[in-house]
């Protein structure tokens, strides 16, 4: 019997949880706030679903009920992607060592 | 147009780049590079999605327009937001991820053919389960984050809102969602799908309203975790590896942060979720006792004198510093002390502030080098050798009661051993108890000098007196 592709995706999922577990424990506590903002940004990769939904409209009806939800989701996810990565970058720029200190 | 297999490989690459983005955060030196990996992963995922659809009709123009609108809003927020508002910003971002997950699930439900999930009224069983779980978790994340946002922003009171039968109601609604999903699979009914989403919105609200202000670090971490699981649910629906990997990473990241925060408060995750902690339960008995004890209070001059004659000072910041925006004044004070060859370090309790790492970001913003900032376990032994501990805006995390009184609600919580230093300067607006509603014994110690004032004003005055 063939293995259901779902099982493969489940395997990827479970293994990723383990990777996440070890990677996140190694994050230094002083960077926990940037960790939250960057996880926010990357979880907005959900935008790929939104793009698929938005592009599913036909040329006669670009905006049908389904694609409208897709378009709104694109805006929401895009706010998060740009906002998340940029605010993370802004925070990380502030973490400096003694020698780099201004003044 | 590229083949599905090639697209899947690119999605895997973008998943790996996301792992590297988190890995970079293990040290501030590598963190910026990590962030670029994250951006690269995102660009790959988006470009590959466009290429794999290959439908370059007029729809595409609109997609790009909406992408740019969202991006502009996001960039604007990212540049304008003050660092003290980080907790509510993160809560706001969580709500957007949640809502986006709900909308993608709805779009997939209404037009399953676009996602290769079958046809309307005949969606594949597995996909239907995955998308309804994704939608339900997304909806809980959305409404829960909105409540957290309102509480952090101060629009809604941070006090816990509880009513009788709350937990039973939540349990019933939770079971209700599962029952409805079961019927949804049998009937494919649109109405049931909408009902699942509406009930989930309600659950999100009910879940967060009983949780009080200072438990917010746990709440934010928990919602972070939920947003990840929602993304993973949608990832299974769309059969997209990048989304599955990211969802798992974010889900476990949030879960670990929640665990760290709970441990730092010595409370179980369940007791935080059930909420109600921090309600005003201080009895009259306690208030009477307070009147009998004497407190030494001083002014900025006394504080400046004490610190000038010290050889080492440890600073303990807390939420009060964030509220008063005192971090820049504090840095000025420390600069002056350093000029007098006084050794200054910072001690940070894991739950100081309203989100994990909150204090570190504020100090970094004020240009405090990160190698002067220490975590609880790394610095706690140094208090015994310090001349002055300067507590600014922290309270419960310094309360020695946590070590001595088994009856205290915070007993067993790891606290900073501030009382071991030769003298303690405690900047606080009044003698009122902290969030946990308990009196801080530290106020009445012989070596404690209370400085009753706004954190920023007091620090500025001390700076003047240091000249």
């Amino acid at each position: 019997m063939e293995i259901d592709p779902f099982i493969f995706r489940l395997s990827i999922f479970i293994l990723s949880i383990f990777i996440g577990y070890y990677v996140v424990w190694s994050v230094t506590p002083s960077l926990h706030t940037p960790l939250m903002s960057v996880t926010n940004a990357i979880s907005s990769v959900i935008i790929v679903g939104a793009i698929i939904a938005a592009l599913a409209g036909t040329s006669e009806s670009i905006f049908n009920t389904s694609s409208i939800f897709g378009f709104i989701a694109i805006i929401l996810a895009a706010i998060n992607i740009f906002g998340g990565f940029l605010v993370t970058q802004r925070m990380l720029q502030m973490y400096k060592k003694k020698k780099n200190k201004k003044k | 147009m590229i083949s599905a297999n090639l697209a899947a490989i690119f999605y895997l690459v973008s998943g790996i780049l996301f792992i590297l983005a988190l890995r970079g955060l293990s040290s501030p030196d590598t963190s910026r590079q990590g962030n670029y990996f994250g951006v690269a992963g995102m660009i790959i995922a988006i470009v590959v999605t466009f290429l794999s659809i290959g439908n370059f009709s007029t729809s595409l123009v609109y997609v790009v327009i909406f992408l740019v609108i969202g991006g502009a809003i996001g960039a604007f927020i990212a540049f304008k937001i003050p660092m003290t508002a980080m907790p509510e910003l993160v809560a706001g971002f969580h709500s957007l991820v949640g809502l986006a997950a709900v909308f993608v699930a709805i779009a997939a439900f209404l037009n399953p053919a676009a996602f290769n999930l079958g046809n309307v009224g005949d969606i594949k069983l597995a996909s239907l389960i995955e998308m309804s779980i994704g939608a339900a978790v997304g909806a809980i994340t959305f409404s829960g984050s909105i409540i957290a946002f309102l509480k952090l922003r101060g629009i809604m009171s941070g006090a816990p809102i509880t009513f009788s039968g709350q937990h039973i109601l939540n349990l019933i609604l939770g079971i209700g969602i599962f029952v409805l999903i079961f019927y949804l699979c049998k009937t494919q009914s649109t109405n049931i799908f909408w009902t699942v989403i509406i009930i989930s919105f309600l659950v999100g609200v009910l879940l967060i309203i009983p949780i009080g202000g200072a438990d917010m670090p746990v709440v934010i971490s928990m919602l972070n975790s939920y947003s990840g699981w929602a993304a993973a649910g949608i990832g299974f629906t769309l059969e997209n590896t990048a989304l599955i990997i990211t969802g798992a990473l974010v889900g476990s990241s949030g879960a670990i942060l929640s665990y760290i925060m709970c441990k730092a408060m010595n409370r179980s995750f369940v007791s935080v979720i059930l909420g109600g902690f921090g309600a005003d339960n201080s009895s009259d008995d306690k208030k009477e006792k307070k009147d009998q004890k004497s407190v030494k209070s001083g002014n900025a001059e006394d504080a400046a004198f004490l610190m000038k004659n010290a050889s080492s000072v440890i600073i303990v910041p807390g939420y009060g510093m964030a509220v008063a925006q005192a971090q820049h004044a504090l840095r000025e004070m420390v600069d002056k002390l350093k000029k007098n060859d006084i050794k200054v370090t910072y001690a940070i309790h894991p739950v100081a502030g309203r989100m994990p790492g909150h204090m570190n970001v504020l100090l970094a913003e004020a240009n405090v080098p990160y190698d002067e900032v220490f975590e609880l376990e790394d610095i706690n032994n140094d208090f015994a050798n310090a001349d002055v501990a300067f507590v600014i805006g922290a309270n419960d995390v310094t309360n020695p009661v946590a070590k001595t009184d088994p009856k205290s609600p915070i007993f067993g919580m790891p606290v900073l051993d501030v009382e071991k230093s030769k003298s303690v300067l405690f900047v606080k607006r009044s003698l009122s108890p902290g969030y946990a509603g308990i009196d801080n014994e530290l106020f009445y110690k012989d070596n404690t000098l209370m400085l009753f004032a706004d954190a920023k004003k007091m620090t500025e005055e001390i700076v003047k007196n240091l000249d």
Side-chain angles (χ1 to χ4, degrees):
Chain A
M1 209 180 106
E2 235 183 298
I3 299 171
D4 190 318
F6 172 79
I7 301 300
F8 287 116
R9 286 192 283 275
L10 190 67
S11 316
I12 294 172
F13 179 63
I14 305 278
L15 289 175
S16 301
I17 291 178
F18 276 91
I19 293 173
Y21 179 86
Y22 289 107
V23 169
V24 172
W25 271 118
S26 75
V27 171
T28 162
S30 66
L31 291 176
H32 276 162
T33 299
L35 171 68
M36 301 202 91
S37 60
V38 85
T39 49
N40 240 313
I42 63 172
S43 55
S44 302
V45 71
I46 202 159
I47 198 168
V48 302
I51 294 174
I52 297 172
L55 287 180
T58 54
S59 44
E60 296 92 55
S61 66
I62 294 169
F63 296 103
N64 57 44
T65 337
S66 164
S67 73
I68 287 173
F69 278 110
F71 279 116
I72 303 173
I74 288 179
I75 295 193
L76 299 176
I79 293 177
N80 244 333
I81 293 171
F82 282 77
F85 280 126
L86 287 172
V87 89
T88 308
Q89 191 66 18
R90 216 181 116 198
M91 276 192 270
L92 294 176
Q93 295 295 0
M94 300 186 313
Y95 282 82
K96 293 190 184 86
K97 266 194 187 170
K98 220 177 263 170
K99 55 181 180 203
N100 301 337
K101 212 174 101 184
K102 286 175 197 166
K103 237 182 168 180
Chain B
M1 183 155 175
I2 57 173
S3 77
N5 285 335
L6 190 58
I9 288 173
F10 276 115
Y11 284 133
L12 179 64
V13 171
S14 101
I16 291 169
L17 286 167
F18 291 150
I19 295 173
L20 294 175
L22 299 191
R23 177 80 190 116
L25 291 171
S26 57
S27 120
D29 295 327
T30 54
S31 60
R32 273 155 287 213
Q33 189 196 24
N35 203 33
Y36 295 130
F37 282 134
V39 174
M42 187 61 72
I43 293 172
I44 291 176
I46 292 174
V47 170
V48 167
T49 309
F50 280 129
L51 291 178
S52 62
I53 299 171
N55 161 22
F56 295 113
S57 63
T58 28
S59 302
L60 185 70
V61 181
Y62 287 100
V63 168
V64 173
I65 291 174
F66 282 85
L67 198 67
V68 171
I69 294 175
I73 299 173
F76 180 77
I77 297 173
F79 285 118
K80 286 285 166 199
I81 193 93
M83 283 297 143
T84 38
M86 271 330 282
E88 51 260 47
L89 178 74
V90 168
F93 279 166
H94 286 153
S95 73
L96 296 182
V97 178
L99 196 59
V102 174
F103 283 0
V104 172
I106 294 174
F109 184 81
L110 295 176
N111 187 2
F115 296 88
N116 292 321
L117 305 177
N119 294 302
V120 180
D122 182 29
I123 300 171
K124 281 191 285 183
L125 182 65
S127 309
L128 197 57
I129 297 173
E130 289 154 5
M131 73 171 77
S132 29
I133 291 176
V137 180
I140 293 174
T141 312
F142 170 70
S143 56
S145 301
I146 292 288
I147 300 295
F149 175 84
L150 294 176
K151 284 191 169 193
L152 288 164
R153 192 83 212 158
I155 298 168
M156 210 174 132
S157 152
I161 300 169
T162 47
F163 53 88
S164 59
Q166 194 166 22
H167 303 315
I168 295 172
L169 178 65
N170 286 347
L171 190 68
I172 292 172
L173 290 176
I175 295 170
I177 291 175
F178 281 104
V179 174
L180 284 171
I181 291 178
F182 178 76
Y183 278 105
L184 176 66
C185 296
K186 280 188 138 179
T187 60
Q188 305 251 352
S189 148
T190 319
N191 287 338
I192 294 183
F193 186 69
W194 290 114
T195 316
V196 168
I197 293 175
I198 290 167
I199 294 182
S200 305
F201 279 136
L202 193 63
V203 170
V205 174
L206 289 170
L207 215 52
I208 307 300
I209 52 169
I211 306 180
D215 279 341
M216 277 302 154
V218 182
V219 171
I220 295 202
S221 318
M222 187 180 85
L223 290 167
N224 186 240
S225 181
Y226 286 180
S227 70
W229 304 130
I234 302 298
F236 275 105
T237 319
L238 306 183
E239 310 185 343
N240 183 309
T241 340
L243 207 39
I244 294 176
I245 295 177
T246 317
L249 289 177
V250 178
S252 52
S253 162
I256 291 172
L257 289 177
S258 317
Y259 169 80
I260 295 175
M261 294 301 121
C262 286
K263 217 178 147 215
M265 294 193 290
N266 192 37
R267 302 188 47 208
S268 73
F269 187 67
V270 176
S271 85
V272 173
I273 297 305
L274 293 181
F277 191 72
D280 188 27
N281 52 6
S282 54
S283 58
D284 296 331
D285 174 49
K286 269 183 194 162
K287 276 173 192 154
E288 274 168 33
K289 267 192 213 159
K290 204 195 290 179
D291 293 334
Q292 289 159 11
K293 292 191 225 170
S294 68
V295 171
K296 277 197 285 182
S297 80
N299 57 25
E301 221 175 302
D302 305 331
F305 178 78
L306 261 174
M307 282 197 272
K308 244 191 242 174
N309 292 307
S311 60
S312 70
V313 174
I314 299 179
I315 296 179
V316 182
Y319 183 57
M321 180 189 80
V323 174
Q325 306 239 20
Q327 67 271 29
H328 298 282
L330 185 67
R331 221 288 308 262
E332 239 181 279
M333 185 186 96
V334 171
D335 282 349
K336 288 237 160 105
L337 292 175
K338 277 194 203 154
K339 262 186 212 154
N340 293 330
D341 284 328
I342 299 165
K343 188 182 167 239
V344 187
T345 44
Y346 300 80
I348 302 209
H349 192 278
V351 291
R354 285 291 184 265
M355 74 183 293
H358 191 185
M359 292 298 121
N360 302 79
V361 171
L362 293 182
L363 291 177
E365 188 201 11
N367 266 318
V368 172
Y370 63 79
D371 37 10
E372 288 175 13
V373 183
F374 295 93
E375 302 299 319
L376 173 96
E377 60 268 32
D378 298 327
I379 199 167
N380 228 0
N381 293 330
D382 296 356
F383 280 106
N385 302 321
D387 294 314
V388 176
F390 186 76
V391 183
I392 175 166
N395 186 0
D396 290 336
V397 297
T398 62
N399 197 341
V401 150
K403 289 176 287 191
T404 52
D405 182 7
K407 271 180 267 165
S408 164
I410 61 167
F411 181 72
M413 168 171 142
V415 288
L416 291 157
D417 296 334
V418 175
E419 78 281 0
K420 287 189 184 155
S421 52
K422 285 203 192 78
S423 45
V424 179
L425 293 170
F426 212 110
V427 185
K428 204 169 179 308
R429 269 179 299 199
S430 69
L431 266 188
S432 62
Y435 168 72
I438 40 170
D439 218 12
N440 194 339
E441 266 186 19
L442 205 54
F443 299 165
Y444 314 107
K445 295 249 171 178
D446 285 338
N447 60 344
T448 304
L449 190 66
M450 298 297 294
L451 307 168
F452 292 112
D454 173 77
K456 192 177 175 187
K457 277 194 199 121
M458 175 54 73
T459 315
E460 281 167 350
E461 271 180 49
I462 294 176
V463 171
K464 274 184 220 152
N465 280 294
L466 278 174
D467 287 325

